[in-house]
Structure formats: C-alpha cells, structure tokens
Amino acid sequence: MRVLDFDYMLGLVPILLRYLPLTLQMAAMGMALALVLACGLAVIRVLRIPGLNAATLLFISFFRGTPLLVQLFLFYYGLPQLLAFLTQINGITATIMGLTLHFSAYMAESIRAAIVGVDRSQTEAALSIGMTNGQLMRRVVLPQATRVAVPTLMNYFIDMIKATSLAFTLGVTELMGATQKEAAGSFLYFEAFITVAIFYWVIVELLAWFQRRLETRLNEAYRR
Amino acid sequence: MIKVQGLVKRFGGVAVLDGIDLAIEQGEIIVVIGPSGTGKSTLLRCLNFLERPDAGYLTIGDLAVDVTKASRADILEARRRTAFVFQNYALFANKTALENIAEGLIVVNRWPKEKAHARAREILERIGLTDKADAYPASLSGGQQQRVGIGRAMAAQAEVILFDEPTSSLDPEWVEEVLALMKQLAQERQTMLVVTHEMGFARDVADRVIFMEGGRIVEQGPPSRLFGDPQDPRTRDFLRKVLANQVSLDAT
Ligand SMILES: Nc1ncnc2c1ncn2[C@@H]1O[C@H](COP(=O)(O)OP(=O)(O)OP(=O)(O)O)[C@@H](O)[C@H]1O
Ligand SMILES: [Mg+2]
C-alpha cells in the first residue's frame, strides 16, 4: 500500500483539460451525424420502403451485432487496404465514422419504435381535419415521438462520449490517449486512470442532470 | 348537400357496408342507430376517407367523386369538408385546447396564427372552456376533452360534422354537458351525422333517424315515426332491446 499522489493528480487536471475538447468534439460530431442517419433509417423502416428496408435491416444487424472496437479497426486499418482513397483517413475521422455508424444502428431502432408507438388515433385525427402525411408527421407524430425517444437518445449520447475513449487505440490523443501517455511517463497508473475516470464521470453526470431537466420540460404537456 | 350513392366497403371480402344510399340536406341532423358491428363507424369513416371505400359515389357540396377513382387531392378536399368527432376524443396530446382547435386553421387553411387563435378563442367561449385555453388534454376531464374535440370540428367549418359515438367513452357524469353542446350546435342548424346510443338525444334533436343493420340502411324516418311506429321487425327488435335498458328516453 502507498498513499495517493494528490499533487500529481491535480497537476494532471490542466493537462487533460487540453484534450477534453477533442473528446467532446468527436462525440458531438458523431451524435449529430448519427441522429441524421438514424432518422433516415427509421423513416425507411417505418414506411417499409422496398429494397431500402432490407438493406437497412442488414446494416442495423451488422452494426449492432459486432463490437465497436472491431468496427473501428475495420475502418481504420482494414478499409484503406480495399479502398485506396481512404489511405488519407486519420484516426479522428475513423472514430467519428465508426461512432456514427455504430450508434445510428441503435438509435434508428429507438426512433422507429417511438414513431410507431404514437397512438393511431393521433394520426387519424390529423387526417380527419385534412392534413397531409407530411404535415401530420411534422406537427403531431414527430413531436410526440421525440418525447419518447429523447431519454433513450440521451443515453446513447452518454454511451458515445465514453466510447470516444476507444479512439486512443487508433492513435488519437484524446482524453484517454493523453492519460495513457502521462501514466506511461510517471508510472502512476492508478492516479492517472482514476483522474480520467472522474473526468468522464463528471461529464456524464452533468449530461444526466441536463437530461432530467429536458425530460421534465418534454413531459409538461402530459401531466395530469 | 351531401349525397352518398351505392357505398360499399369490404373488410377481407365481407361487405361491411353493402350499398349505402343517403342524402343529407344542409342543416339536417341525422342520427344513425343500429346493433354493434353493423358498419355505422365504417360509414362515417368512409365519408371522411379514413377508410377507402370499395365502390360508390360521394358528393359533398360541389365536390363529386367516384370513390374508387378519388385522387389524393379529392381525398384531402373531402376531409376538409367533413369534420370528425371521435369516440375517444383523439385530441392532439402535444397541443393545448386552444392549439387543438386552431391547428387545422393554421396548417390546413393556412391562416396566420393570430387569426386562428382569435377564432379558436371564440370557439372556446361557445363550448364554455375559455378558462382551459392553455390546458393540455391530459389535464382535462373526459367531458372537457370531448367538448374540445367538438370545438376542433366546429373550427373546420365543414359541410357536415360526423360524430362517432361521442359520449360512449365518457363517465356518466360528463355525458350531459357533451349532449348539451351538440344540441346547441343542432339549434344553430349545423349539419350533423351522429352515431349514438343516446335515444333521448335522437328523439329530441334528430330530424331523421336511420336504423342500420348488416351494412344496410334498414329503415329511416323522423324520430317520432321510427321510434313510435317502426315498420321492420329488425328495427322493432333492436328498439325493444335498447329501450329496455335505457331510461333516458322517458327521463328527458
Ligand atoms: N379495419 C378493419 N379491419 C377489419 N375489419 C374491420 C375493420 N373495421 C371494422 N371492421 C369490421 O367491420 C364491421 C363493422 O364495424 P363498425 O366499427 O363499422 O361497426 P359499428 O356499427 O360501428 O359497431 P359498434 O356499435 O360496435 O361501434 C365489424 O364486423 C368490424 O369487425
Ligand atoms: Mg362504431
């Protein structure tokens, strides 16, 4: 047993803070792209667009059925051997791409479930007053589906922030990569990794707090 | 004027509507009665194209369509000319009472928001819910929700309002206020086609009562005639059963 080196840990904080933006940027980019892709996939699934529906099912099955780490290695190390133009791909881009594809597969299913879960009577009421399909989606179904989907999507966002730590395996120096380097220099592995763990923990708790506030607001219309 | 000719609707080969002919004059109040599973809801839903009929002609004002050839535009137009009041209210859960009433005016009629809200407030006053303008459906009683549902139909200024058992989901304590609102509309000569089991309402308010069974109109006439002197044995049979467990006809 030895005592923790608190001074070292405190000294690590400003260093790690420099790498925080990259972690958050990768997560934010991944989330934004995944949301767009997931909405598209969900619509294909809801409308059962012929051809595309089968392709979407295959896509979802693959990206949910294989580990994220394997997918990242596949994009970063594997694909460039097949597709020459991808030799330019850097670790950050590959990470964002992997996070996007992986999480969009999960998110598509929760968005689809939220849309399908909106009561049929809501659609009929909208049709009965003469709304088009587009109008009833925008004004009635999607707002109600959002309320159902948002908590799940926020959970995926939290997962995604944690998953950005895998980027260090592609040589990206983000929060985790930086910690790894610091620890290797000082040999204070416990101090280094508990510090970075607290970093992720604080970010996640902040998001969870924001998530609760958001849910309260979204549920306003449904309180009895 | 609304005219239905030879309307047929099949579900899985079974003709749920088996050639319905019906003409509704402007300002007429028609009540449709009949046993369960007879096609009453289906008739209303076909007029609103919530179900696509399999055959027949439909005339609503100057819109005349062969239902099998109705285009998307025809269907939207037919829906704009008919308003629907649902048994389960079906208010937009994400919108306040005011917004529920204004929604069609804003989205379908493309009114500016202020104008639509002003009209919605007038309607809230007529349905006696001025103080609930900003309440969401979940916080309203069943009776209040259904009155908003009727308000939403009133806003559409449709040629006819179709009511599908508007009081059947309500706790007994809320039935009267909804019927009272419907009577008020009837007095204003709003054209109405009402499916209901409220025989008292039919007797007091309807110009004409239609008895349906097995997807057909069996018999129709003024309430005094249909209730007082039903011709068809099926009508007599149905009325005997219904009136036996409904005291409201004598009570009102
Ligand atoms: N979407 C549907 N698919 C298949 N069958 C249906 C559908 N809608 C209605 N039916 C059937 O059509 C028949 C008529 O139904 P409808 O709801 O019009 O009857 P109703 O007269 O309104 O009865 P109730 O008094 O119980 O409301 C019923 O046998 C019903 O099961
Ligand atoms: Mg019915």
Side-chain angles (χ1 to χ4, degrees):
Chain A
M1 270 295 274
R2 64 176 174 84
V3 285
L4 284 185
D5 188 340
F6 280 108
D7 287 341
Y8 174 74
M9 287 170 66
L10 278 178
L12 215 50
V13 170
I15 299 174
L16 293 189
L17 273 178
R18 286 208 297 274
Y19 295 93
L20 181 62
L22 179 57
T23 288
L24 295 180
Q25 275 163 19
M26 287 192 298
M29 273 294 279
M31 188 65 186
L33 294 173
L35 263 180
V36 173
L37 182 56
C39 284
L41 297 175
V43 168
I44 291 172
R45 294 274 288 116
V46 170
L47 302 179
R48 296 209 179 81
I49 299 174
L52 286 179
N53 192 35
T56 300
L57 278 174
L58 186 67
F59 174 92
I60 290 173
S61 171
F62 177 78
F63 282 100
R64 296 211 308 184
T66 52
L68 177 56
L69 187 59
V70 173
Q71 293 165 14
L72 290 176
F73 276 37
L74 196 60
F75 293 133
Y76 187 63
Y77 299 111
L79 268 193
Q81 298 189 333
L82 247 69
L83 307 166
F85 67 90
L86 280 179
T87 47
Q88 304 293 337
I89 197 168
N90 65 26
I92 296 174
T93 313
T95 304
I96 293 173
M97 201 167 121
L99 292 174
T100 299
L101 297 178
H102 182 81
F103 280 91
S104 68
Y106 284 93
M107 284 159 48
E109 280 304 278
S110 49
I111 293 172
R112 185 193 68 87
I115 293 175
V116 171
V118 173
D119 200 293
R120 172 85 192 140
S121 69
Q122 297 286 311
T123 307
E124 293 202 334
L127 288 176
S128 81
I129 59 174
M131 282 197 208
T132 62
N133 286 328
Q135 289 169 336
L136 79 88
M137 268 290 165
R138 252 183 304 117
R139 307 275 308 191
V140 179
V141 175
L142 291 182
Q144 293 187 35
T146 302
R147 165 178 163 261
V148 177
V150 157
T152 327
L153 296 180
M154 281 295 289
N155 287 340
Y156 284 131
F157 184 45
I158 286 172
D159 278 353
M160 194 185 282
I161 288 179
K162 291 184 286 185
T164 55
S165 60
L166 292 176
F168 102 95
T169 62
L170 307 188
V172 180
T173 312
E174 38 63 73
L175 214 44
M176 180 61 192
T179 311
Q180 166 74 23
K181 282 184 182 156
E182 289 297 322
S186 66
F187 296 108
L188 292 173
Y189 289 106
F190 188 84
E191 278 83 351
F193 290 123
I194 194 70
T195 306
V196 78
I198 291 169
F199 257 77
Y200 285 111
W201 192 8
V202 169
I203 300 167
V204 167
E205 277 306 315
L206 281 174
L207 272 171
W209 171 83
F210 173 73
Q211 179 180 14
R212 283 191 294 274
R213 285 195 33 161
L214 188 64
E215 281 173 33
T216 313
R217 257 199 51 198
L218 286 169
N219 283 326
E220 219 166 323
Y222 301 84
R223 265 203 308 273
R224 271 154 213 287
Chain B
M1 239 286 285
I2 289 141
K3 211 157 139 192
V4 180
Q5 290 162 282
L7 193 70
V8 174
K9 173 68 191 174
R10 296 187 197 90
F11 284 119
V14 181
V16 169
L17 293 180
D18 195 7
I20 299 282
D21 297 304
L22 176 63
I24 307 171
E25 294 299 327
Q26 171 138 27
E28 199 177 10
I29 288 99
I30 300 185
V31 165
V32 181
I33 60 172
S36 184
T38 280
K40 306 181 298 292
S41 297
T42 307
L43 171 61
L44 264 50
R45 292 169 59 81
C46 281
L47 297 184
N48 197 246
F49 280 96
L50 286 177
E51 304 287 355
R52 184 72 186 252
D54 293 304
Y57 293 88
L58 188 56
T59 313
I60 308 172
D62 55 8
L63 173 79
V65 285
D66 175 340
V67 293
T68 53
K69 298 192 183 105
S71 64
R72 270 173 56 89
D74 291 334
I75 291 174
L76 282 181
E77 192 55 40
R79 286 182 179 147
R80 284 164 196 187
R81 289 163 184 239
T82 53
F84 208 103
V85 175
F86 297 85
Q87 181 173 345
N88 64 359
Y89 336 127
L91 296 184
F92 302 126
N94 57 325
K95 295 185 187 294
T96 62
L98 182 86
E99 290 166 347
N100 262 279
I101 295 170
E103 183 68 6
L105 297 173
I106 294 169
V107 179
V108 178
N109 299 18
R110 304 208 177 276
W111 285 19
K113 196 168 155 191
E114 295 72 38
K115 188 179 166 199
H117 280 199
R119 169 62 60 81
R121 279 184 207 288
E122 287 169 30
I123 291 174
L124 278 171
E125 200 172 320
R126 285 170 66 196
I127 63 178
L129 288 175
T130 311
D131 54 330
K132 296 293 181 189
D134 299 323
Y136 284 96
S139 69
L140 296 175
S141 75
Q144 290 168 337
Q145 288 190 59
Q146 191 56 297
R147 280 150 67 198
V148 175
I150 294 172
R152 179 172 66 185
M154 288 159 68
Q157 299 210 288
E159 305 251 354
V160 60
I161 301 184
L162 309 165
F163 294 79
D164 191 7
E165 302 201 32
T167 58
S168 293
S169 306
L170 293 173
D171 289 337
E173 55 194 309
W174 309 124
V175 170
E176 259 329 297
E177 65 183 47
V178 171
L179 290 179
L181 175 57
M182 291 169 65
K183 280 182 193 171
Q184 180 189 321
L185 283 181
Q187 269 153 19
E188 295 164 9
R189 300 320 290 178
Q190 162 71 54
T191 314
M192 295 159 65
L193 183 59
V194 184
V195 174
T196 185
H197 296 299
E198 294 286 339
M199 295 300 154
F201 176 85
R203 193 196 58 182
D204 296 345
V205 179
D207 299 312
R208 180 160 39 128
V209 177
I210 292 178
F211 174 70
M212 272 180 73
E213 194 182 276
R216 295 214 172 106
I217 294 177
V218 172
E219 187 171 353
Q220 55 181 310
S224 54
R225 223 269 298 128
L226 198 106
F227 290 131
D229 183 22
Q231 302 297 303
D232 196 283
R234 287 170 291 178
T235 319
R236 261 178 264 155
D237 193 43
F238 174 77
L239 288 175
R240 199 169 45 228
K241 278 183 200 145
V242 173
L243 297 181
N245 45 34
Q246 195 161 14
V247 277
S248 60
L249 189 58
D250 308 313
T252 42

